[in-house]
């Protein structure tokens, strides 16, 4: 690579952007592992803060994982058939429907949460149960599942494959189970990883929907940022990174794989 | 299994008449080709027989005595080979071929035995466990055929089974396909836009145009006795000789030509094979193009018909562009066809 | 069961869920905005009350600034990374895209680590440079959020550009700078518009970052939150949500129709 003036400038901007994104991340990782952040690394490395976070917030972490799994189950059950239906009827109505279910991508989570609270806030049993948060998560992640599966289904000649299966005697349900789902797998996988990653990190909706007894991982994070010492907040953030970064890497890998099918 | 179509028509929701009301009979065990240019309705007709399209009200389709008009495709027990083959990418060759047998809920051992039998018939033994991606075009075509045939369908339907292959392979596989279909001993209908393919494989050919069957007959019959100009043009590329009839002869711009009969109003057609370059021929024209085609030269001559009249010349010394040549056409080689009333 | 019936059945779970938890709540939210003494006049009130109007203007200005900065930085870095191969490129790319999964709250915390009272800058300068809780801190937080998203869009679009176009321009004698101006940027324009709209819309609606920074700067999502929780002014919170939702939604629809691209807003 030959460095001209223009390229040097580009490189400088790139490095600056990297520094901006990376330095605070590293700070947070180090702060979570340092005995005393203000005295610096010289105070020694420790897992004490991580252990304390675990004592304080293990419930939140497990709740988030449980919510992510439940959310995944819901988006699979709702999203795969819906994507199939949209792929089979590529018309105006389908586009409007797809646009409508994608609203939660555009409309801020705060507004959606307010809307849910307005309608269901008075139903105490539902309002205070974990399923209320689940509804928010499904609402927000469903469009990712639908689009991911739909993209793969639209890229193949679904109609002809189904005609072929039908000509061999397969009922609509068998065609769905034997042909549609297996061939949509790359899209389902990419969608599933996206759903789980987003669900674990979701804050905007969850903050409004949660109750003091149901704190998810990001709600706990906000809580620790507001009320805990910096080392604990950092250690908690570190745990979040450890969970979310492998998910993100897997999600990007799966999405690229699904896109190659086109 | 014989097939009888009565008054079968198809109108699409946007009002397009893909198939005009059609009556056709296919005899048990015969191989019939639906031949025509794209958009002539041949694929629609095939899909109607398969049950992949719903015919207009008033249509009726019978397999032997069984009325299948309203039966959806999955209950018609037809085998279908798709233009793109539509092999299931998530299944191996064997799983593709077994799929139809599995849908019949046969015992596993029988599925395996019958799949093996068809695999052997189609010479696919080395590929049984391969994935679809690992197959060549010709192998895919055989898998598609084997998959369609394995469940012992009542009829076999093939939609342009050779068009996904490259030209070099197509000729070889055409003969293979013809041999396989005869070994299957099954009523087979296949759609093609390629007249060579239709003539080579089929017992009978139905030539279609604008949603109508123009003529159905044996390949020889269609070639030698076309009943309408379109069939003459489409099968064997006949060209029209225009001119006025006088004293049993046709006056063309290139000279006078003897006619076999003079009874009625007809159009005169001729094929390149029947135009002979000859010193004392009665037609004359100017050579515009000479193309070497291996077994013969294709000589394009102007001055006789509108555009070029082609002659297949088998001699070793072809004329040169610009030469004036004489040609003769035997009267019995001329095709006399009733004048077409409507221009399409 | 016929094929058409089966396909229709496939929509049932989606329609039931969407109706119950999206369509009806949004309708309810819309009507809730009229349930104060002001009635539908509440939307007029937003424009005539200086505090709300100022919030609206301020939110738009911050979002515009974030959009511009994110576009400049990410286009520069994205083009550089897409067009050059060098050791360490993969690491830079990973650093620039990993924050995709960070929610706004976490980003708020990272900004505090950078510019808070106990932050890095304050320690290094030993002066009192604290910016995390200011408008600038908010700006940096939103920028942090937007850089990876815009970058990925730019890089995806760059890879789709036909390299032959650039080679053709070069063969006609264009300098590298002219190639960028005449070929690359026009080719990227639709994606840049889409990425810019996404950056703008997410900045408009971002809540987590502002929440963590506990800033006293009035941006729309914070005002909605305080109206709802502290003032219990449900109608105003609903009305502001409706306005915010419509603005961001319209922007993203326009952007998508312009470019055909879809990138997650999120966070």
């Amino acid at each position: 690579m030959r460095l001209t003036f223009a390229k040097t400038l580009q490189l400088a901007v790139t490095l600056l952007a990297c520094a901006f994104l990376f330095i605070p991340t590293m700070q947070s990782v180090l702060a979570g592992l340092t005995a005393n952040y203000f005295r610096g690394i010289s105070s020694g490395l420790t897992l004490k803060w991580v252990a304390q976070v675990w004592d304080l917030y293990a419930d939140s972490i497990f709740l988030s994982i449980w919510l992510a799994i439940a959310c995944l189950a819901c988006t699979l059950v709702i999203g795969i058939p819906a994507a199939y239906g949209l792929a089979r009827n590529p018309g105006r109505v389908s586009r409007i429907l797809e646009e409508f279910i994608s609203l939660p991508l555009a409309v801020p989570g705060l507004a959606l949460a307010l809307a849910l609270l307005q309608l269901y806030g008075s139903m105490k049993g539902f309002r205070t149960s974990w399923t209320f948060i689940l509804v928010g998560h499904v609402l927000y992640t469903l469009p990712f599942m639908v689009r991911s599966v739909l993209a793969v289904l639209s890229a193949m000649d679904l109609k002809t494959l189904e005609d072929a299966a039908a000509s061999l005697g397969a009922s609509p349900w068998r065609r769905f189970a034997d042909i549609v789902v297996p061939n949509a797998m790359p899209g389902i996988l990419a969608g599933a990883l996206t759903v789980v990653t987003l669900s674990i990190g979701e804050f905007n909706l969850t903050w409004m929907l949660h109750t003091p007894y149901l704190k998810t991982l990001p709600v706990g994070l906000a809580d620790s940022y507001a009320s805990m010492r910096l080392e604990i907040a950092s250690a908690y953030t570190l745990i979040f990174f450890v969970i979310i970064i492998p998910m993100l890497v897997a999600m990007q890998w799966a999405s690229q794989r699904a896109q190659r099918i086109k | 299994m014989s097939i009888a179509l009565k008054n079968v028509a198809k109108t699409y929701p946007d009002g397009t008449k893909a198939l005009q009301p059609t009556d056709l009979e296919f005899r048990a065990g015969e191989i019939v080709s639906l031949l025509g240019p794209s958009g002539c309705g041949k694929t629609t007709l095939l899909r109607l027989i398969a049950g992949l399209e719903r015919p207009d009200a008033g249509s009726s389709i019978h397999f032997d005595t069984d009325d299948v008009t309203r039966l959806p495709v999955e209950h018609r027990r037809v085998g279908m080979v798709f233009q793109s083959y539509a092999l299931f990418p998530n299944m191996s060759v064997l799983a593709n071929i077994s799929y139809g047998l599995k849908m019949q809920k046969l015992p596993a051992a029988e599925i395996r035995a019958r799949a093996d039998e068809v695999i052997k018939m189609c010479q696919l033994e080395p590929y049984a466990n391969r994935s679809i991606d690992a197959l060549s075009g010709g192998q895919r075509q055989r898998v598609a055929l084997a998959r369609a045939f394995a469940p012992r369908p009542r009829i076999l339907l093939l939609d342009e089974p050779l068009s996904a292959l490259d030209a070099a392979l197509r000729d070889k596989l055409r003969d293979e396909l013809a041999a396989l279909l005869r070994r299957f001993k099954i009523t087979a209908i296949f759609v093609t836009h390629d007249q060579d393919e239709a003539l080579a494989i089929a017992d009978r050919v139905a030539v279609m145009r604008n949603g109508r069957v123009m003529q159905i007959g044996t390949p020889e019959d269609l070639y030698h006795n076309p009943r309408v100009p379109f069939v003459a043009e489409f099968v064997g590329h006949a060209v029209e000789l225009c001119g006025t009839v006088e004293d049993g002869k046709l006056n063309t711009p290139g000279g006078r030509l003897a006619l076999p009969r003079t009874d009625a109003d007809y159009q005169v057609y001729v094929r390149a094979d029947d135009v002979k370059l000859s010193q004392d021929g009665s037609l004359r024209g100017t050579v515009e193009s000479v193309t070497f085609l291996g077994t013969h030269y294709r000589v394009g001559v102007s001055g006789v018909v509108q555009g070029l009249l082609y002659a297949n010349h088998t001699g070793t010394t072809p004329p040169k562009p610009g030469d004036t040549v004489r040609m003769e056409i035997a009267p019995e080689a001329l095709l006399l066809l009733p004048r077409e009333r409507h221009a399409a | 069961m016929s094929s058409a019936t089966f396909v229709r059945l496939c929509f049932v779970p989606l329609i039931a869920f969407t109706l119950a938890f999206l369509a009806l709540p949004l309708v309810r939210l819309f009507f809730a905005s009229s349930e104060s003494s002001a009635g539908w006049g509440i939307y007029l009130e937003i424009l005539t009350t200086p505090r709300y109007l100022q919030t609206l203007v301020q939110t738009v200005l911050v979002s515009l600034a974030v959009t511009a900065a994110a576009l400049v930085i990410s286009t520069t870095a994205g083009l550089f990374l897409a067009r050059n191969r060098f050791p360490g490129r993969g690491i830079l790319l990973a650093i620039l895209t990993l924050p995709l999964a960070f929610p706004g709250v976490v980003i708020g915390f990272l900004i505090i680590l950078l510019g808070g009272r106990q932050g890095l800058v304050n320690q290094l300068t030993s002066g009192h440079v604290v910016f995390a809780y200011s408008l600038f801190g908010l700006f940096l937080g939103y920028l942090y959020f937007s850089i990876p998203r815009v970058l990925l869009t730019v890089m995806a679009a760059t890879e789709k550009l036909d390299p032959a176009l650039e080679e053709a321009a070069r063969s006609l004698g264009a300098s590298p700078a002219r190639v960028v101006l005449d070929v690359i940027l026009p080719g990227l324009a639709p994606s840049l518009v889409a990425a810019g709209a996404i950056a703008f819309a997410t900045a408009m609606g971002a809540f987590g970052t502002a929440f963590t920074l506990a800033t006293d700067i009035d941006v729309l999502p914070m005002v909605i939150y305080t109206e709802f929780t502290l003032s219990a002014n449900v109608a105003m919170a609903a009305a502001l949500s409706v306005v915010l939702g419509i603005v961001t939604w319209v922007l993203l629809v326009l952007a998508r129709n312009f470019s055909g691209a879809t990138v997650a807003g999120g966070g």
Side-chain angles (χ1 to χ4, degrees), chain B residues 254-258 278 280-284 326-329:
Chain B
R256 284 160 66 82
L257 198 61
S278 152
D280 40 52
S282 58
L283 297 175
R284 52 183 279 147
R326 289 193 159 274
M327 293 156 293
E328 69 177 347
I329 302 169

Side-chain angles (χ1 to χ4, degrees), chain B residues 224-253:
Chain B
H224 296 300
N225 304 307
R227 284 204 301 270
V228 288
F230 175 75
V231 174
E233 285 165 15
F234 200 77
V235 181
H237 305 294
V239 292
E240 186 184 0
L241 294 166
C242 295
T244 50
V245 178
E246 200 181 298
D247 304 336
K249 299 214 167 176
L250 182 72
N251 281 326
T252 75

Side-chain angles (χ1 to χ4, degrees), chain A residues 1 3 7-11 13-15 17-25 27-29 31 37-38 77-79 81-82 84-86 88-89 94-95 97 99-112 114-120 126 134-136 138-140 142 144 146-147 162 172-173 175-176 197-198 200-204 207-208 218 221-222 225 230 233-234 237 240-241 244-245 248-249 251-252, chain C residues 1-3 6-7 10-11 13-15 17-26 28-29 32 35 72-73 75-77 79-81 84-86 92-93 95-103 105-106 109-114 118-120 123 140-141 143-144 147-148 152 201 204-208 211-212 220-222 224-225 228-229 234 237-238 241-242 244-246 248-249 252-253 256-257 262-267:
Chain A
M1 191 173 70
L3 276 184
K7 272 199 179 161
T8 315
L9 195 68
Q10 277 185 304
L11 179 63
V13 171
T14 310
L15 289 176
C18 284
F20 171 50
L21 298 189
F22 192 61
I23 288 174
T25 314
Q27 271 180 281
S28 148
V29 170
Y37 180 66
F38 303 103
V77 169
I78 302 171
Y84 167 69
L86 291 171
R88 281 298 304 269
N89 294 310
S94 288
R95 273 211 51 192
L97 187 59
E99 197 65 60
F100 188 70
I101 63 158
S102 301
L103 268 183
L105 302 187
V107 176
L110 199 62
L112 288 175
L114 265 185
L116 284 172
L117 283 170
Q118 285 299 307
L119 194 60
Y120 297 107
F126 180 41
L134 178 66
V135 162
V138 174
L139 204 54
Y140 174 54
L142 185 60
F144 291 94
V146 171
R147 286 176 172 198
E162 271 207 70
W173 163 249
R175 296 190 312 246
F176 181 74
T197 310
L198 289 175
I200 288 182
E202 210 300 315
F203 175 77
N204 293 357
W207 180 258
M208 301 293 285
L221 276 173
Y225 296 156
L230 195 74
S234 294
T237 309
F240 174 73
F241 286 163
I244 208 77
I245 288 177
L248 179 81
V249 172
M251 172 187 125
Q252 286 184 322
Chain C
M1 178 171 36
S2 85
S3 182
F6 182 79
V7 173
C10 282
F11 284 113
L14 179 80
I15 289 180
F17 180 84
T18 310
L19 204 63
F21 298 119
L22 185 59
L24 291 179
L26 286 179
R28 179 74 191 88
L29 181 75
E35 284 168 6
V72 170
I73 294 170
T75 309
T76 312
L79 273 177
F80 182 72
L81 290 173
N84 295 289
R85 293 290 180 272
F86 53 91
L92 294 189
L93 197 56
I95 290 174
L96 287 172
T97 51
L98 284 186
L100 267 184
F102 298 177
V105 251
V106 171
F109 179 61
L110 296 180
I111 297 300
I112 291 176
L113 285 176
L114 209 56
Q118 308 162 342
L120 182 70
Q123 284 173 350
L140 283 183
L143 187 60
Y144 197 107
I147 284 176
L152 279 184
M204 287 282 291
F207 170 63
F211 181 80
T212 308
L220 204 44
M222 283 307 284
I224 295 173
Y225 180 66
F228 183 70
T229 51
V234 175
S241 298
V242 168
L244 180 59
I246 289 177
T248 50
W249 178 71
L252 289 175
V253 168
R256 193 161 61 243
N257 287 345
T262 49
V263 170

Side-chain angles (χ1 to χ4, degrees), chain B residues 305-324:
Chain B
V305 298
Q306 249 188 348
L308 296 181
L309 175 66
Y310 287 100
N312 286 347
H313 178 62
T314 46
T316 46
T317 48
K320 285 189 284 298
D323 287 357
T324 301

Side-chain angles (χ1 to χ4, degrees), chain B residues 273 291-298 312-316:
Chain B
D273 278 337
T291 316
F292 180 55
L293 292 171
T295 55
H296 61 272
Y297 292 91
R298 191 169 172 79
N312 286 347
H313 178 62
T314 46
T316 46

Side-chain angles (χ1 to χ4, degrees), chain A residues 32-35 44-54 235 238-239:
Chain A
L33 297 173
T34 309
L45 293 176
T46 174
L47 285 175
K48 160 173 93 171
W49 308 119
V50 175
Q52 240 173 5
V53 168
W54 192 256
L238 174 63
I239 292 178

